[in-house]
Amino acid sequence: MRAPIGDFEHATPAPDCLDDLVPPVADAVRRWSGAVPADRIVHVDTDPAWADTAVFVEHYGADLLERSANCVVVAAKRGGVTTLAACLVLSTTKADVNGLVRRHLGARKASFASMEVATEQTGMEYGGITPLGLPDTWPLLVDAAVVDLPYVLVGSGRRRGKLLVPGKAFADLPNAVVLTGLGV
Protein backbone atom coordinates (compact mmCIF):
# COMPACT_ATOMS: atom_id res chain seq x y z
CA MET A 1 0.00 0.00 0.00
CA ARG A 2 1.10 3.59 -0.54
CA ALA A 3 1.48 5.75 2.56
CA PRO A 4 -1.03 8.64 2.74
CA ILE A 5 1.85 11.09 3.41
CA GLY A 6 5.61 10.99 2.99
CA ASP A 7 7.84 8.84 0.82
CA PHE A 8 8.02 5.42 2.49
CA GLU A 9 8.91 2.12 0.83
CA HIS A 10 6.77 0.01 3.17
CA ALA A 11 3.38 1.03 4.56
CA THR A 12 1.00 -1.41 6.23
CA PRO A 13 -2.33 -0.97 8.04
CA ALA A 14 -1.42 -1.18 11.74
CA PRO A 15 -3.85 -4.07 12.45
CA ASP A 16 -1.90 -6.15 9.90
CA CYS A 17 1.50 -5.68 11.57
CA LEU A 18 0.88 -5.92 15.30
CA ASP A 19 4.14 -7.86 15.76
CA ASP A 20 6.07 -4.76 14.63
CA LEU A 21 4.58 -2.70 17.48
CA VAL A 22 5.47 -2.67 21.17
CA PRO A 23 2.84 -4.46 23.31
CA PRO A 24 0.94 -1.38 24.60
CA VAL A 25 0.63 0.06 21.08
CA ALA A 26 -0.38 -3.31 19.59
CA ASP A 27 -3.01 -3.67 22.34
CA ALA A 28 -4.36 -0.17 21.60
CA VAL A 29 -4.69 -0.98 17.89
CA ARG A 30 -6.32 -4.35 18.70
CA ARG A 31 -8.87 -2.65 21.00
CA TRP A 32 -9.40 0.38 18.75
CA SER A 33 -13.01 1.59 18.75
CA GLY A 34 -12.69 5.16 17.47
CA ALA A 35 -14.76 6.74 14.71
CA VAL A 36 -11.82 6.32 12.30
CA PRO A 37 -11.42 2.63 11.29
CA ALA A 38 -8.27 1.00 12.72
CA ASP A 39 -7.03 0.06 9.25
CA ARG A 40 -6.60 3.79 8.48
CA ILE A 41 -3.82 3.83 11.10
CA VAL A 42 -0.75 3.01 9.02
CA HIS A 43 2.63 1.70 10.17
CA VAL A 44 5.67 2.69 8.09
CA ASP A 45 9.04 1.06 8.47
CA THR A 46 11.82 3.59 9.03
CA ASP A 47 15.52 3.46 9.76
CA PRO A 48 16.20 4.30 13.44
CA ALA A 49 19.45 6.02 12.38
CA TRP A 50 17.25 8.62 10.66
CA ALA A 51 14.86 9.12 13.60
CA ASP A 52 15.87 12.71 14.40
CA THR A 53 13.54 15.17 12.71
CA ALA A 54 15.96 17.01 10.38
CA VAL A 55 17.48 13.79 9.01
CA PHE A 56 14.09 12.07 8.94
CA VAL A 57 12.41 14.66 6.70
CA GLU A 58 15.47 14.73 4.41
CA HIS A 59 15.01 11.00 3.73
CA TYR A 60 11.23 10.54 3.90
CA GLY A 61 9.83 13.85 2.63
CA ALA A 62 10.19 17.53 3.51
CA ASP A 63 6.38 17.80 3.71
CA LEU A 64 6.47 15.65 6.86
CA LEU A 65 7.88 18.48 8.98
CA GLU A 66 4.49 20.22 8.87
CA ARG A 67 2.59 16.92 9.31
CA SER A 68 4.48 15.44 12.27
CA ALA A 69 3.62 15.57 15.94
CA ASN A 70 5.62 14.86 19.07
CA CYS A 71 4.21 13.08 22.09
CA VAL A 72 5.90 14.18 25.30
CA VAL A 73 5.35 12.89 28.83
CA VAL A 74 4.97 15.48 31.57
CA ALA A 75 5.01 15.24 35.34
CA ALA A 76 2.63 17.63 37.07
CA LYS A 77 3.06 18.15 40.82
CA ARG A 78 0.74 19.54 43.47
CA GLY A 79 0.83 18.92 47.20
CA GLY A 80 3.39 16.14 46.98
CA VAL A 81 1.33 14.22 44.40
CA THR A 82 2.72 13.69 40.90
CA THR A 83 0.41 13.15 37.94
CA LEU A 84 1.79 11.88 34.66
CA ALA A 85 0.19 13.06 31.45
CA ALA A 86 1.04 13.21 27.76
CA CYS A 87 0.93 16.12 25.34
CA LEU A 88 0.69 15.83 21.56
CA VAL A 89 1.83 18.89 19.63
CA LEU A 90 3.01 19.58 16.10
CA SER A 91 6.74 19.00 15.71
CA THR A 92 7.18 22.65 14.68
CA THR A 93 5.97 23.74 18.14
CA LYS A 94 6.68 22.99 21.80
CA ALA A 95 4.15 22.02 24.45
CA ASP A 96 3.27 24.94 26.74
CA VAL A 97 4.21 22.89 29.81
CA ASN A 98 4.60 25.77 32.28
CA GLY A 99 1.46 27.55 31.09
CA LEU A 100 -1.52 25.74 29.60
CA VAL A 101 -0.45 22.22 30.64
CA ARG A 102 0.24 23.19 34.25
CA ARG A 103 -3.05 25.10 34.55
CA HIS A 104 -5.12 22.39 32.84
CA LEU A 105 -3.72 19.71 35.17
CA GLY A 106 -4.21 21.92 38.25
CA ALA A 107 -0.55 21.66 39.16
CA ARG A 108 1.82 24.01 40.95
CA LYS A 109 4.71 22.77 38.85
CA ALA A 110 4.93 20.86 35.59
CA SER A 111 7.99 19.61 33.76
CA PHE A 112 9.00 16.97 31.27
CA ALA A 113 9.18 13.54 32.87
CA SER A 114 12.61 11.94 32.96
CA MET A 115 13.52 9.52 30.18
CA GLU A 116 13.53 6.68 32.72
CA VAL A 117 10.03 7.48 33.99
CA ALA A 118 8.65 8.05 30.47
CA THR A 119 9.91 4.73 29.10
CA GLU A 120 9.14 2.69 32.22
CA GLN A 121 5.59 4.00 32.54
CA THR A 122 4.71 3.78 28.82
CA GLY A 123 6.52 0.57 27.85
CA MET A 124 7.84 2.46 24.83
CA GLU A 125 11.28 3.51 23.62
CA TYR A 126 12.45 7.06 24.19
CA GLY A 127 12.17 8.92 20.90
CA GLY A 128 9.27 6.73 19.79
CA ILE A 129 6.62 7.50 22.42
CA THR A 130 3.19 7.69 20.84
CA PRO A 131 -0.28 8.58 22.15
CA LEU A 132 -1.64 5.17 21.12
CA GLY A 133 -1.15 2.75 23.99
CA LEU A 134 -0.50 5.20 26.81
CA PRO A 135 -1.80 4.21 30.25
CA ASP A 136 -5.60 4.65 30.23
CA THR A 137 -5.52 6.71 33.43
CA TRP A 138 -3.28 9.44 31.99
CA PRO A 139 -4.68 12.69 30.68
CA LEU A 140 -3.78 13.13 27.00
CA LEU A 141 -3.67 16.77 25.95
CA VAL A 142 -3.85 17.19 22.18
CA ASP A 143 -3.23 20.44 20.34
CA ALA A 144 -6.19 21.34 18.11
CA ALA A 145 -3.79 21.87 15.18
CA VAL A 146 -2.92 18.15 15.29
CA VAL A 147 -6.57 17.08 15.14
CA ASP A 148 -7.13 19.38 12.13
CA LEU A 149 -4.61 17.55 9.90
CA PRO A 150 -5.80 14.80 7.53
CA TYR A 151 -2.86 12.56 8.54
CA VAL A 152 -0.20 13.01 11.21
CA LEU A 153 3.13 11.21 11.58
CA VAL A 154 3.80 10.10 15.19
CA GLY A 155 6.03 7.59 16.91
CA SER A 156 5.18 3.90 16.92
CA GLY A 157 6.45 3.10 20.40
CA ARG A 158 9.87 2.23 18.96
CA ARG A 159 12.55 4.32 17.27
CA ARG A 160 12.20 2.05 14.24
CA GLY A 161 8.91 2.75 12.50
CA LYS A 162 6.28 5.46 12.68
CA LEU A 163 2.51 5.61 12.62
CA LEU A 164 0.47 7.70 10.20
CA VAL A 165 -2.80 8.51 11.91
CA PRO A 166 -5.79 10.61 10.78
CA GLY A 167 -5.64 13.72 12.97
CA LYS A 168 -9.22 13.45 14.19
CA ALA A 169 -8.50 9.95 15.57
CA PHE A 170 -6.45 11.44 18.43
CA ALA A 171 -9.60 13.01 19.89
CA ASP A 172 -11.01 9.46 20.34
CA LEU A 173 -8.15 8.21 22.51
CA PRO A 174 -8.78 7.54 26.23
CA ASN A 175 -8.80 10.73 28.33
CA ALA A 176 -8.01 12.91 25.32
CA VAL A 177 -8.71 16.61 25.65
CA VAL A 178 -8.26 18.81 22.60
CA LEU A 179 -6.84 22.22 23.50
CA THR A 180 -6.24 25.26 21.30
CA GLY A 181 -2.81 26.77 21.87
CA LEU A 182 -1.17 23.74 23.52
CA GLY A 183 1.70 23.95 21.03
CA VAL A 184 3.54 27.29 21.00
Side-chain angles (χ1 to χ4, degrees):
M1 103 178 262
R2 178 152 170 47
I5 59 174
D7 184 24
F8 300 97
E9 286 185 30
H10 303 286
T12 308
D16 295 343
C17 62
L18 297 175
D19 290 342
D20 294 331
L21 304 173
V22 295
V25 177
D27 289 344
V29 171
R30 224 180 260 110
R31 296 185 324 236
W32 183 257
S33 63
V36 173
D39 63 358
R40 293 211 33 225
I41 300 169
V42 177
H43 178 266
V44 292
D45 187 41
T46 60
D47 186 330
W50 298 339
D52 293 325
T53 304
V55 177
F56 189 88
V57 298
E58 181 182 320
H59 285 90
Y60 296 112
D63 64 317
L64 293 173
L65 186 60
E66 302 293 324
R67 300 175 187 194
S68 299
N70 293 324
C71 184
V72 296
V73 178
V74 297
K77 299 176 184 176
R78 182 173 192 83
V81 175
T82 300
T83 300
L84 295 176
C87 300
L88 185 65
V89 297
L90 293 176
S91 62
T92 55
T93 66
K94 294 181 182 198
D96 184 11
V97 174
N98 290 311
L100 186 56
V101 173
R102 182 185 57 76
R103 287 190 306 274
H104 185 81
L105 297 175
R108 278 193 180 277
K109 181 181 177 187
S111 59
F112 294 106
S114 71
M115 179 172 62
E116 181 180 312
V117 167
T119 57
E120 182 179 299
Q121 295 296 313
T122 63
M124 301 179 202
E125 293 177 9
Y126 198 74
I129 294 176
T130 186
L132 279 80
L134 291 171
D136 288 341
T137 57
W138 286 16
L140 171 60
L141 310 181
V142 181
D143 190 286
V146 173
V147 175
D148 289 342
L149 290 174
Y151 265 91
V152 182
L153 178 125
V154 294
S156 68
R158 299 172 48 206
R159 284 187 60 85
R160 175 174 207 103
K162 299 287 185 186
L163 295 176
L164 307 177
V165 182
K168 63 185 175 184
F170 295 112
D172 290 336
L173 291 172
N175 299 318
V177 177
V178 178
L179 299 171
T180 300
L182 178 63
V184 292

Short mmCIF file of all heavy atoms in Angstrom, two decimals, residues 107-149:
data_model
loop_
_atom_site.label_atom_id
_atom_site.label_comp_id
_atom_site.label_asym_id
_atom_site.label_seq_id
_atom_site.Cartn_x
_atom_site.Cartn_y
_atom_site.Cartn_z
N ALA A 107 -1.81 21.91 38.47
CA ALA A 107 -0.55 21.66 39.16
C ALA A 107 0.14 22.97 39.55
O ALA A 107 -0.07 24.00 38.93
CB ALA A 107 0.37 20.85 38.26
N ARG A 108 0.96 22.88 40.58
CA ARG A 108 1.82 24.01 40.95
C ARG A 108 3.04 24.06 40.05
O ARG A 108 3.53 25.12 39.75
CB ARG A 108 2.30 23.86 42.40
CG ARG A 108 1.33 24.30 43.42
CD ARG A 108 2.06 24.40 44.76
NE ARG A 108 1.17 24.83 45.79
CZ ARG A 108 0.87 26.10 46.02
NH1 ARG A 108 1.41 27.04 45.31
NH2 ARG A 108 0.05 26.41 46.99
N LYS A 109 3.51 22.87 39.67
CA LYS A 109 4.71 22.77 38.85
C LYS A 109 4.51 21.65 37.84
O LYS A 109 3.97 20.60 38.16
CB LYS A 109 5.91 22.46 39.74
CG LYS A 109 7.22 22.36 38.99
CD LYS A 109 8.36 22.03 39.94
CE LYS A 109 9.64 21.87 39.13
NZ LYS A 109 10.74 21.39 39.92
N ALA A 110 4.96 21.90 36.63
CA ALA A 110 4.93 20.86 35.59
C ALA A 110 6.25 20.89 34.84
O ALA A 110 6.82 21.95 34.60
CB ALA A 110 3.77 21.10 34.62
N SER A 111 6.73 19.72 34.50
CA SER A 111 7.99 19.61 33.76
C SER A 111 7.95 18.33 32.94
O SER A 111 7.09 17.47 33.13
CB SER A 111 9.18 19.61 34.71
OG SER A 111 9.08 18.52 35.61
N PHE A 112 8.91 18.20 32.04
CA PHE A 112 9.00 16.97 31.27
C PHE A 112 9.42 15.84 32.20
O PHE A 112 10.29 16.03 33.06
CB PHE A 112 10.01 17.11 30.13
CG PHE A 112 9.58 18.11 29.09
CD1 PHE A 112 10.19 19.35 29.01
CD2 PHE A 112 8.55 17.82 28.21
CE1 PHE A 112 9.79 20.28 28.08
CE2 PHE A 112 8.15 18.74 27.27
CZ PHE A 112 8.76 19.97 27.21
N ALA A 113 8.80 14.70 32.06
CA ALA A 113 9.18 13.54 32.87
C ALA A 113 10.57 13.08 32.42
O ALA A 113 10.95 13.26 31.26
CB ALA A 113 8.16 12.41 32.68
N SER A 114 11.29 12.46 33.32
CA SER A 114 12.61 11.94 32.96
C SER A 114 12.46 10.83 31.92
O SER A 114 11.40 10.20 31.81
CB SER A 114 13.33 11.40 34.19
OG SER A 114 12.70 10.19 34.63
N MET A 115 13.54 10.58 31.19
CA MET A 115 13.52 9.52 30.18
C MET A 115 13.19 8.19 30.85
O MET A 115 12.40 7.40 30.31
CB MET A 115 14.88 9.44 29.47
CG MET A 115 14.94 8.34 28.43
SD MET A 115 16.43 8.34 27.40
CE MET A 115 17.70 8.07 28.60
N GLU A 116 13.77 7.94 32.01
CA GLU A 116 13.53 6.68 32.72
C GLU A 116 12.06 6.51 33.07
O GLU A 116 11.47 5.45 32.84
CB GLU A 116 14.38 6.62 33.98
CG GLU A 116 14.22 5.34 34.76
CD GLU A 116 15.09 5.33 36.01
OE1 GLU A 116 16.28 5.65 35.92
OE2 GLU A 116 14.54 5.01 37.08
N VAL A 117 11.45 7.54 33.62
CA VAL A 117 10.03 7.48 33.99
C VAL A 117 9.16 7.32 32.74
O VAL A 117 8.25 6.49 32.71
CB VAL A 117 9.61 8.74 34.79
CG1 VAL A 117 8.10 8.85 34.92
CG2 VAL A 117 10.26 8.73 36.17
N ALA A 118 9.46 8.10 31.69
CA ALA A 118 8.65 8.05 30.47
C ALA A 118 8.66 6.66 29.84
O ALA A 118 7.61 6.13 29.47
CB ALA A 118 9.14 9.10 29.47
N THR A 119 9.84 6.05 29.75
CA THR A 119 9.91 4.73 29.10
C THR A 119 9.36 3.63 30.00
O THR A 119 8.66 2.74 29.52
CB THR A 119 11.36 4.40 28.68
OG1 THR A 119 12.22 4.48 29.82
CG2 THR A 119 11.84 5.37 27.61
N GLU A 120 9.63 3.72 31.29
CA GLU A 120 9.14 2.69 32.22
C GLU A 120 7.62 2.70 32.30
O GLU A 120 6.97 1.66 32.29
CB GLU A 120 9.74 2.92 33.60
CG GLU A 120 9.32 1.89 34.63
CD GLU A 120 9.98 2.17 35.98
OE1 GLU A 120 11.23 2.17 36.04
OE2 GLU A 120 9.23 2.41 36.95
N GLN A 121 7.04 3.88 32.37
CA GLN A 121 5.59 4.00 32.54
C GLN A 121 4.80 3.75 31.25
O GLN A 121 3.63 3.36 31.31
CB GLN A 121 5.24 5.38 33.11
CG GLN A 121 5.77 5.60 34.52
CD GLN A 121 5.16 4.65 35.52
OE1 GLN A 121 3.95 4.43 35.57
NE2 GLN A 121 6.01 4.03 36.33
N THR A 122 5.42 3.98 30.09
CA THR A 122 4.71 3.78 28.82
C THR A 122 4.98 2.42 28.20
O THR A 122 4.18 1.97 27.38
CB THR A 122 5.09 4.86 27.78
OG1 THR A 122 6.49 4.74 27.48
CG2 THR A 122 4.76 6.26 28.27
N GLY A 123 6.13 1.81 28.52
CA GLY A 123 6.52 0.57 27.85
C GLY A 123 6.99 0.83 26.43
O GLY A 123 7.00 -0.07 25.59
N MET A 124 7.40 2.07 26.16
CA MET A 124 7.84 2.46 24.83
C MET A 124 9.28 2.95 24.88
O MET A 124 9.79 3.28 25.94
CB MET A 124 6.93 3.57 24.28
CG MET A 124 5.48 3.17 24.18
SD MET A 124 4.48 4.54 23.56
CE MET A 124 2.86 4.06 24.16
N GLU A 125 9.92 3.01 23.71
CA GLU A 125 11.28 3.51 23.62
C GLU A 125 11.29 5.03 23.58
O GLU A 125 10.42 5.65 22.95
CB GLU A 125 11.96 2.99 22.34
CG GLU A 125 12.18 1.49 22.34
CD GLU A 125 12.79 1.00 21.02
OE1 GLU A 125 13.19 1.82 20.17
OE2 GLU A 125 12.85 -0.23 20.86
N TYR A 126 12.29 5.61 24.23
CA TYR A 126 12.45 7.06 24.19
C TYR A 126 12.73 7.48 22.75
O TYR A 126 13.51 6.86 22.05
CB TYR A 126 13.60 7.49 25.10
CG TYR A 126 13.57 8.95 25.44
CD1 TYR A 126 12.63 9.44 26.35
CD2 TYR A 126 14.45 9.85 24.86
CE1 TYR A 126 12.58 10.78 26.67
CE2 TYR A 126 14.42 11.19 25.17
CZ TYR A 126 13.48 11.66 26.07
OH TYR A 126 13.44 12.99 26.39
N GLY A 127 12.04 8.50 22.29
CA GLY A 127 12.17 8.92 20.90
C GLY A 127 11.11 8.29 20.01
O GLY A 127 11.00 8.63 18.84
N GLY A 128 10.33 7.38 20.56
CA GLY A 128 9.27 6.73 19.79
C GLY A 128 7.94 6.76 20.51
O GLY A 128 6.97 6.12 20.07
N ILE A 129 7.85 7.48 21.62
CA ILE A 129 6.62 7.50 22.42
C ILE A 129 5.48 8.05 21.58
O ILE A 129 5.62 9.06 20.88
CB ILE A 129 6.82 8.28 23.72
CG1 ILE A 129 7.83 7.53 24.60
CG2 ILE A 129 5.49 8.49 24.45
CD1 ILE A 129 8.22 8.22 25.88
N THR A 130 4.36 7.36 21.65
CA THR A 130 3.19 7.69 20.84
C THR A 130 1.96 7.77 21.73
O THR A 130 1.91 7.14 22.79
CB THR A 130 3.00 6.62 19.73
OG1 THR A 130 1.94 7.03 18.86
CG2 THR A 130 2.70 5.25 20.28
N PRO A 131 0.94 8.51 21.32
CA PRO A 131 -0.28 8.58 22.15
C PRO A 131 -1.10 7.28 22.14
O PRO A 131 -1.87 7.05 23.06
CB PRO A 131 -1.07 9.73 21.55
CG PRO A 131 -0.48 10.01 20.23
CD PRO A 131 0.91 9.46 20.22
N LEU A 132 -0.92 6.44 21.14
CA LEU A 132 -1.64 5.17 21.12
C LEU A 132 -0.96 4.19 22.08
O LEU A 132 0.22 3.92 21.94
CB LEU A 132 -1.63 4.56 19.71
CG LEU A 132 -2.66 5.12 18.74
CD1 LEU A 132 -2.21 6.44 18.18
CD2 LEU A 132 -2.91 4.14 17.64
N GLY A 133 -1.70 3.72 23.06
CA GLY A 133 -1.15 2.75 23.99
C GLY A 133 -0.65 3.34 25.30
O GLY A 133 -0.05 2.63 26.10
N LEU A 134 -0.88 4.61 25.53
CA LEU A 134 -0.50 5.20 26.81
C LEU A 134 -1.39 4.62 27.91
O LEU A 134 -2.49 4.13 27.63
CB LEU A 134 -0.68 6.72 26.77
CG LEU A 134 0.28 7.49 25.86
CD1 LEU A 134 -0.18 8.94 25.76
CD2 LEU A 134 1.70 7.41 26.40
N PRO A 135 -0.94 4.68 29.16
CA PRO A 135 -1.80 4.21 30.25
C PRO A 135 -3.17 4.91 30.21
O PRO A 135 -3.25 6.13 30.01
CB PRO A 135 -1.01 4.60 31.50
CG PRO A 135 0.42 4.59 31.05
CD PRO A 135 0.38 5.11 29.63
N ASP A 136 -4.23 4.13 30.35
CA ASP A 136 -5.60 4.65 30.23
C ASP A 136 -5.96 5.70 31.27
O ASP A 136 -6.91 6.44 31.10
CB ASP A 136 -6.62 3.51 30.30
CG ASP A 136 -6.62 2.65 29.05
OD1 ASP A 136 -6.13 3.10 28.00
OD2 ASP A 136 -7.14 1.52 29.12
N THR A 137 -5.21 5.75 32.36
CA THR A 137 -5.52 6.71 33.43
C THR A 137 -4.88 8.08 33.19
O THR A 137 -5.23 9.04 33.86
CB THR A 137 -5.03 6.18 34.78
OG1 THR A 137 -3.62 5.91 34.69
CG2 THR A 137 -5.78 4.91 35.17
N TRP A 138 -3.97 8.17 32.24
CA TRP A 138 -3.28 9.44 31.99
C TRP A 138 -4.15 10.41 31.20
O TRP A 138 -4.78 10.02 30.21
CB TRP A 138 -2.05 9.21 31.15
CG TRP A 138 -0.88 8.60 31.83
CD1 TRP A 138 -0.86 7.94 33.01
CD2 TRP A 138 0.45 8.58 31.33
NE1 TRP A 138 0.41 7.50 33.28
CE2 TRP A 138 1.23 7.88 32.26
CE3 TRP A 138 1.05 9.06 30.18
CZ2 TRP A 138 2.59 7.68 32.08
CZ3 TRP A 138 2.39 8.86 30.00
CH2 TRP A 138 3.16 8.18 30.95
N PRO A 139 -4.12 11.69 31.57
CA PRO A 139 -4.68 12.69 30.68
C PRO A 139 -3.83 12.76 29.40
O PRO A 139 -2.60 12.63 29.47
CB PRO A 139 -4.56 14.00 31.46
CG PRO A 139 -4.36 13.59 32.90
CD PRO A 139 -3.66 12.26 32.85
N LEU A 140 -4.47 12.93 28.27
CA LEU A 140 -3.78 13.13 27.00
C LEU A 140 -4.26 14.47 26.45
O LEU A 140 -5.41 14.61 26.06
CB LEU A 140 -4.09 12.01 26.01
CG LEU A 140 -3.61 12.22 24.57
CD1 LEU A 140 -2.09 12.38 24.52
CD2 LEU A 140 -4.09 11.10 23.67
N LEU A 141 -3.35 15.44 26.45
CA LEU A 141 -3.67 16.77 25.95
C LEU A 141 -3.20 16.86 24.51
O LEU A 141 -2.03 16.62 24.21
CB LEU A 141 -2.98 17.83 26.82
CG LEU A 141 -3.19 17.69 28.33
CD1 LEU A 141 -2.50 18.81 29.08
CD2 LEU A 141 -4.66 17.62 28.68
N VAL A 142 -4.12 17.18 23.62
CA VAL A 142 -3.85 17.19 22.18
C VAL A 142 -4.08 18.59 21.63
O VAL A 142 -5.15 19.16 21.83
CB VAL A 142 -4.77 16.19 21.43
CG1 VAL A 142 -4.47 16.17 19.94
CG2 VAL A 142 -4.68 14.79 22.04
N ASP A 143 -3.08 19.12 20.95
CA ASP A 143 -3.23 20.44 20.34
C ASP A 143 -4.26 20.34 19.21
O ASP A 143 -4.23 19.40 18.40
CB ASP A 143 -1.90 20.94 19.79
CG ASP A 143 -1.98 22.40 19.39
OD1 ASP A 143 -2.59 22.69 18.34
OD2 ASP A 143 -1.44 23.25 20.12
N ALA A 144 -5.14 21.32 19.13
CA ALA A 144 -6.19 21.34 18.11
C ALA A 144 -5.60 21.31 16.70
O ALA A 144 -6.21 20.74 15.78
CB ALA A 144 -7.08 22.57 18.28
N ALA A 145 -4.42 21.87 16.51
CA ALA A 145 -3.79 21.87 15.18
C ALA A 145 -3.45 20.46 14.72
O ALA A 145 -3.45 20.18 13.52
CB ALA A 145 -2.52 22.73 15.22
N VAL A 146 -3.20 19.54 15.65
CA VAL A 146 -2.92 18.15 15.29
C VAL A 146 -4.20 17.49 14.79
O VAL A 146 -4.20 16.80 13.77
CB VAL A 146 -2.35 17.37 16.51
CG1 VAL A 146 -2.22 15.89 16.21
CG2 VAL A 146 -1.00 17.96 16.93
N VAL A 147 -5.28 17.70 15.49
CA VAL A 147 -6.57 17.08 15.14
C VAL A 147 -7.05 17.57 13.77
O VAL A 147 -7.73 16.84 13.04
CB VAL A 147 -7.61 17.38 16.24
CG1 VAL A 147 -8.98 16.87 15.87
CG2 VAL A 147 -7.16 16.76 17.56
N ASP A 148 -6.67 18.79 13.40
CA ASP A 148 -7.13 19.38 12.13
C ASP A 148 -6.44 18.80 10.89
O ASP A 148 -6.93 19.01 9.78
CB ASP A 148 -6.91 20.89 12.15
CG ASP A 148 -7.87 21.60 13.09
OD1 ASP A 148 -8.90 21.01 13.47
OD2 ASP A 148 -7.57 22.76 13.46
N LEU A 149 -5.33 18.08 11.06
CA LEU A 149 -4.61 17.55 9.90
C LEU A 149 -5.24 16.26 9.39
O LEU A 149 -5.69 15.43 10.18
CB LEU A 149 -3.14 17.29 10.26
CG LEU A 149 -2.28 18.52 10.49
CD1 LEU A 149 -0.89 18.10 10.97
CD2 LEU A 149 -2.18 19.34 9.21
#
